[in-house]
Amino acid sequence: MESMTGPMGVPARTAPGRAPGTAPLDEEPLLRLRGISKRFGAVQALYGVDLDLPRAKVTALCGDNGAGKSVLTKTIAGIHEPDHGQISWEGRPVTIRTPNDASALGIETVYQDLALADNLDIVQNMFLGRERMSGIFLNEDSMERAAAQTLAELRVTTVRSIRQPVATLSGGQRQAVAVAKAVMWNSKLVMLDEPTAALGVAQTRMVLDLIKRLKDHGLAVMVISHNLNDVFEVADRVAVLRLGRMVAQADISTLDRESVVDYMTTGVSSRVVPGPTSQRPEA
Amino acid sequence: MSGPSAPDLATDLTAAVDAVPPPIIAQTMGEYWRTWLARVRGGDAGALPVVIALLAVTIVFTILSPNHVFLSPENLVNLFDQSAVFIVLAFGMGFVLLLGDIDLSIGYVAAIGGIVTAQLVQPTPNVPWPLAVLAGLAVCALIGLLQGSLVARLRMPAFVVTLAGYLIWFGVMILLLGTAGGVGVTGSQTNQQAIYSLVYGYIDPVIAWIGLVVFVAIFATVLWRRDIGRRRSGLVAPPLGLTMAKILLVAIAGIIVVAICNVNRGRDLPIVGVPYVIPVVLLVLLAWTVLLERMQFGRHVYATGGNTEAARRAGINVTTVRTMGFVLCSMTGGIAGIIYCSQLGGMTTNINGGQLVLYAVAAAVIGGTSLFGGRGRVMDGLLGGLVIGAIYNGLYLLGLPIQWQLIITGLVLLAAVSVDSFSRKRTAHA
Ligand SMILES: Nc1ncnc2c1ncn2[C@@H]1O[C@H](COP(=O)(O)OP(=O)(O)O)[C@@H](O)[C@H]1O
Ligand SMILES: [Mg+2]
């Protein structure tokens, strides 16, 4: 069997160093990161990270606490600007400096801390920064209807009023609002940073179903999760970060729970999973 | 980007939409009442504490004041005039408090606004009074821009920046007033009359009544049409009774104020009518309420004050919002300064800008605005300013010396802040 890891600890079989242009067009991922580095003062959070997020696939981003998953997410979302590295979107190089740049491309994010304003109500949060206007005034009715529709689609039916401040919601409800906020824009990539961490069984189910639906509608989804059951249920691909380095990126069929844990904890895995090899095109 | 809400998702989910019950909020007065009680128990008492405070202060001073003079029309109009300065200062302070900041310089900035305006309407430059007012407000806005930029762009603490501002604008105020140490406005000079008449000019009683009817009619129509619009588009509207109660409350308050002001309160010559300052304060209240509650900028102010990082991630330019908060704070302070100038018949170096700041903060916080950002309404400044004005006025009527005024105002402020902290703790635990 071939060696599992390349020079940077990246499994050789995902061939990150494949010469540009050799891939057929339909294989070009929606988002492609190459050599992304990010440093905060003394902390090097990301070391030359490569990541592909293809359309109509769920990519699970795994890694131990502090591995850099949230930093990577925020870099894609325009919260942090990377120190080095290239980002290409639909095959074109782009720079994402602000959250507005990200949402203009069609990137929506559910942050780990949810990023909700507690003093605002559900509708106000869902449309924050993208308020619907009629003339110079806010179009509250239109926003309220759209928010209600999205929540209904997500089967978030437990909130008493869509006009109650987010501060009054339970953890699961807040999570649901954050998810709803991300999916109500016609986005192409949705990233969810530990979206089920605060949820009960039923609501976790809801989010996992939602993730599958997003994928079925052709969106690229990146989901960060500690729960390997969830990962193996929804993910098509797995990417593993360890101490700021991307140590594995592979089709889920080539991995099992133990190998993912191996990558997360040691950066390598000696386990061999029977199944299709990595040379197989991912599309 | 702001397309309709993910229609793709809807296709296989239309059934789910139908199955969802409409958002359940109070649709009848009884339900509304229970929801309100639950909110109060949950720590969000809304306007309740300040209304109780206002009633308590009124009752106490009516009983204690000699001949119950506190409730006499003459004194009440006086109280409105005195409160106007605190109210408008609190409106201004509200912007920075909503952002979780504070402006300690607002008292002297207000004074500078009043002085610039007063000096421009003096016979020598003889600038027409509307321009003089605009110039005074522009100077204040510039001061706010300066302080706001230091806070928002250079990330300097608002406390320190505006404490420095407190000293600087105090000094500038004395410089502006020069050796004369003051500048006056009188009713005998045509150009100064407009400034002077803010407090000492009165609206003809008949016109005041007509104005009130028009105001209440507009208020009722706006509220009514909003409710009807919501019901028609299938949204939950507040119960009809509540809307009517609101309209009734505004009408009654208006009738009481106009009736009081239309009683002759002159000793020798008749003095009758609503002082111009009252509609001016209402206009500022209305404008800033619309800005904060119906416009995008206001939404971004609340978001920034509630969770700055969330606002930033939502693509809001937090720096600009904070800077504008300081600009609006100082500019509104300038309006208060011009009212103060009218009330005092001019400005002198005796202006106590420190006390004005404390009263502004106290008024806003007593009204229900949080010191921690993100919570509060413009209306809070009106109610809180009336409480401060009533205490100020009542203690004066009792002949209590200034030291007691200070101590009692301080205690009221403490009580208000403790309500704020308490409700914050409650919501944090919720
Ligand atoms: N804004 C920041 N400033 C400084 N250090 C940060 C910042 N954000 C994250 N880090 C550091 O980067 C590393 C990765 O963090 P993070 O991405 O949050 O980990 P996780 O994989 O658990 O989401 C951690 O060491 C963390 O302390
Ligand atoms: Mg994280």
Side-chain angles (χ1 to χ4, degrees), chain B residues 179-202:
Chain B
T179 43
V183 55
V185 287
T186 65
S188 50
Q189 285 263 342
T190 350
N191 198 28
Q192 293 173 26
Q193 201 179 3
I195 309 297
Y196 181 82
S197 299
L198 252 182
V199 172
Y200 300 110
Y202 311 108

Side-chain angles (χ1 to χ4, degrees), chain A residues 79 99-100 103 111 113 115-116 119 124 131 137-138 140-141 144-145 149-150 153 155 160-161 183-184 217, chain B residues 1 5-6 8 10 12-13 20 24-25 230 233 290 294 296 299-300 302-303 306-307 310 312-313 315 374:
Chain A
I79 309 284
N100 285 336
S103 53
Y111 295 98
D113 60 11
L116 299 171
N119 57 330
Q124 293 169 340
E131 292 82 5
F137 298 112
L138 295 164
E140 297 285 357
D141 292 1
E144 187 168 330
R145 273 195 303 274
Q149 192 194 337
T150 305
E153 286 161 9
R155 300 186 182 87
R160 267 180 53 247
S161 162
V183 300
M184 76 179 307
H217 285 101
Chain B
M1 275 323 295
S5 66
D8 288 349
D12 53 324
L13 286 167
V20 172
I24 305 149
I25 58 166
R230 287 183 62 86
S233 58
V290 168
R294 299 271 161 255
Q296 196 171 32
R299 181 63 41 86
H300 293 178
Y302 280 99
N307 186 343
R312 202 166 76 86
R313 291 191 203 162

